[in-house]
C-alpha cells in the first residue's frame, strides 16, 4: 500500500544582506592586494632597479693585488731595479760612443793624443817625486821649519809665474807663426798654446809684428779681429811669436806631431818656425785684478 511522500523540510529564511556583504568583502580584498602590489615591489623589480641605478656589481679584488692608490713593497723594488737598469744602459751607451769616437779618429789625432798622455804622465811622476822629497824634508826634525819656509816661498813664486804677476826665465822655445799666403787664426794660436801646456809649458807670452807682448795665463782668450787676432783685449797682427818656458825637447816634439799645429798652419799656406835658443825670458806681466773684498796679509 503506497505511502504518501514525505514533506520537504522548511526552507531557511533568506538573508537579504548576505550577497551585498560578500561583494563588498571581495572588493576590499582586491583593493588591498592592489595596494600591496604597489607598495611591495617584487624581487625581479628590485634587481632591475639595481641594474639601472647602480650598474653591474664590482668584482672582488684578485688575490695578491692591491687597490689603486696603494704601492706595495714589490712595486717599489721593481721601480728601483728598472731605474738602475736604465742608468747602466746610459753609461754603456756613452762608453760605446767614446770608443767609437777613438776608433774613427785619424792616425795623426791618435798620435797627438798619445803624445799628450805621455807628457802628462812624465810631468805627474816628476811632481810626485818632488812632493815626496818635500814631505821628507818637512819631517826631518830640526830642519823642518826652514824647509817649510823655503817650500812656501817656492810655491809663492810658482803661483806668481802661473798667474802672470812675476817674470820668469828658463830653458824653452821661441815659436814664430808666419801667415805666408794664408792667415793665422786665433783658433790655431789657441791650439798651439794647448799643445805647449800639455807638454809641460810653465810660462808663455805672445807678441805681434809691432812687438807688443801679452802674457798667456789660464784665462787668456784668442778672438779673430779682421786680419789680426785680439788676445785678452789687445789686438795683434802677424807674424806672431810665442815665447815659452819648459822642456824644450818635449814641447818641440808636441808641436811637430802629425796633424798638429805645425801641419795645420802649413796646410793654410803659412809656416811655423821653432827655435831652441837655450834660455828664454818671459817678462810680459798680466794685468793685476782689482780686488774688491780681499786684502793681502802681511
Amino acid at each position: 500500500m503506497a505511502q504518501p511522500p514525505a514533506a520537504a523540510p522548511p526552507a531557511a529564511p533568506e538573508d537579504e544582506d548576505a550577497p551585498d556583504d560578500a561583494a563588498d568583502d571581495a572588493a576590499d580584498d582586491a583593493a588591498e592586494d592592489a595596494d600591496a602590489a604597489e607598495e611591495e615591489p617584487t624581487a625581479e623589480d628590485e634587481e632591475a632597479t639595481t641594474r639601472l641605478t647602480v650598474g653591474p656589481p664590482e668584482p672582488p679584488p684578485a688575490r695578491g693585488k692591491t687597490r689603486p692608490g696603494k704601492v706595495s713593497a714589490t712595486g717599489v723594488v721593481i721601480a728601483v731595479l728598472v731605474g738602475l737598469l736604465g742608468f747602466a744602459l746610459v753609461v754603456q751607451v756613452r762608453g760605446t760612443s767614446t770608443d767609437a769616437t777613438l776608433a774613427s779618429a785619424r792616425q795623426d789625432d791618435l798620435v797627438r793624443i798619445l803624445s799628450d798622455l805621455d807628457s802628462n804622465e812624465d810631468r805627474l811622476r816628476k811632481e810626485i817625486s818632488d812632493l815626496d822629497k818635500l814631505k821628507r824634508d818637512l819631517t826631518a826634525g830640526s830642519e823642518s821649519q826652514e824647509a817649510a819656509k823655503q817650500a812656501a816661498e817656492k810655491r809663492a813664486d810658482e803661483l806668481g809665474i802661473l798667474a802672470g804677476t812675476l817674470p820668469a826665465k828658463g830653458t824653452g822655445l821661441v815659436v814664430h807663426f808666419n801667415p805666408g799666403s794664408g792667415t793665422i787664426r786665433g783658433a790655431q794660436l789657441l791650439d798651439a798654446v794647448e799643445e805647449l801646456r800639455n807638454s809641460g809649458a810653465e810660462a808663455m807670452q805672445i807678441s805681434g809684428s809691432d812687438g807688443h807682448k801679452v802674457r798667456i795665463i789660464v784665462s787668456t782668450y784668442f778672438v779673430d779681429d779682421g786680419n789680426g787676432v785680439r788676445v785678452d783685449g789687445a789686438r795683434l797682427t802677424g807674424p806672431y811669436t810665442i815665447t815659452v818656458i819648459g822642456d824644450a825637447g818635449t814641447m818641440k816634439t808636441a808641436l811637430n806631431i802629425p796633424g798638429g799645429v805645425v801641419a795645420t798652419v802649413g796646410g793654410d799656406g803659412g809656416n811655423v818656425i821653432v827655435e831652441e835658443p837655450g834660455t828664454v825670458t818671459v817678462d810680459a806681466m798680466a794685468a793685476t785684478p782689482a780686488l774688491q773684498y780681499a786684502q793681502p796679509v802681511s
Side-chain angles (χ1 to χ4, degrees):
M1 184 172 161
Q3 293 182 357
E14 293 181 1
D15 188 355
E16 297 177 355
D17 296 334
D20 295 337
D21 293 341
D24 293 339
D25 294 339
D28 293 340
D29 293 338
E32 290 177 359
D33 293 337
D35 293 339
E38 294 177 357
E39 294 176 357
E40 298 179 4
T42 63
E44 296 178 356
D45 294 336
E46 290 179 355
E47 183 178 358
T49 304
T50 302
R51 288 199 300 268
L52 291 175
T53 57
V54 179
E58 181 180 359
R63 180 176 300 177
K65 295 184 179 180
T66 58
R67 293 181 178 274
K70 295 183 179 180
V71 180
S72 64
T74 304
V76 174
V77 173
I78 292 175
V80 172
L81 293 177
V82 171
L84 292 175
L85 178 60
F87 176 78
L89 290 175
V90 171
V91 172
Q92 184 177 3
V93 169
R94 289 184 176 180
T96 304
S97 300
T98 303
D99 295 339
T101 302
L102 293 177
S104 60
R106 298 180 305 171
Q107 184 177 1
D108 296 344
D109 296 333
L110 294 176
V111 171
R112 184 174 69 253
I113 293 173
L114 181 60
S115 176
D116 293 342
L117 291 176
D118 291 340
S119 300
N120 290 334
E121 182 182 3
D122 294 339
R123 186 170 65 255
L124 291 175
R125 289 184 182 279
K126 184 178 183 303
E127 184 176 354
I128 292 174
S129 177
D130 294 341
L131 291 175
D132 288 339
K133 182 178 181 303
L134 177 60
K135 180 181 178 181
R136 290 192 300 269
D137 293 341
L138 293 176
T139 57
S142 60
E143 299 180 356
S144 60
Q145 184 175 0
E146 183 64 23
K149 180 181 178 181
Q150 294 177 359
E153 292 175 350
K154 180 180 178 182
R155 185 59 177 169
D157 292 341
E158 291 175 352
L159 293 177
I161 293 173
L162 292 176
T165 58
L166 292 177
K169 179 184 292 186
T171 59
L173 299 175
V174 176
V175 186
H176 302 281
F177 294 83
N178 299 314
S181 59
T183 302
I184 303 296
R185 301 187 302 274
Q188 293 172 328
L189 295 175
L190 179 59
D191 289 342
V193 170
E194 292 297 329
E195 289 183 2
L196 292 170
R197 281 175 176 167
N198 291 335
S199 57
E202 298 176 356
M204 284 182 280
Q205 67 183 23
I206 185 172
S207 59
S209 58
D210 60 353
H212 181 71
K213 304 174 184 178
V214 178
R215 186 69 169 265
I216 299 175
I217 57 177
V218 66
S219 60
T220 300
Y221 63 88
F222 298 82
V223 179
D224 293 331
D225 187 1
N227 60 345
V229 175
R230 192 169 293 276
V231 183
D232 281 351
R235 188 175 185 277
L236 304 178
T237 57
Y240 308 96
T241 300
I242 293 180
T243 305
V244 53
I245 296 176
D247 185 88
T250 303
M251 294 188 298
K252 188 174 183 179
T253 302
L255 292 174
N256 287 282
I257 60 174
V261 63
V262 173
T264 302
V265 173
D268 290 344
N271 63 83
V272 179
I273 301 174
V274 181
E275 296 180 354
E276 191 175 345
T279 301
V280 298
T281 300
V282 175
D283 53 5
M285 307 294 285
T288 303
L291 303 178
Q292 183 177 359
Y293 302 103
Q295 296 181 357
V297 179
S298 57

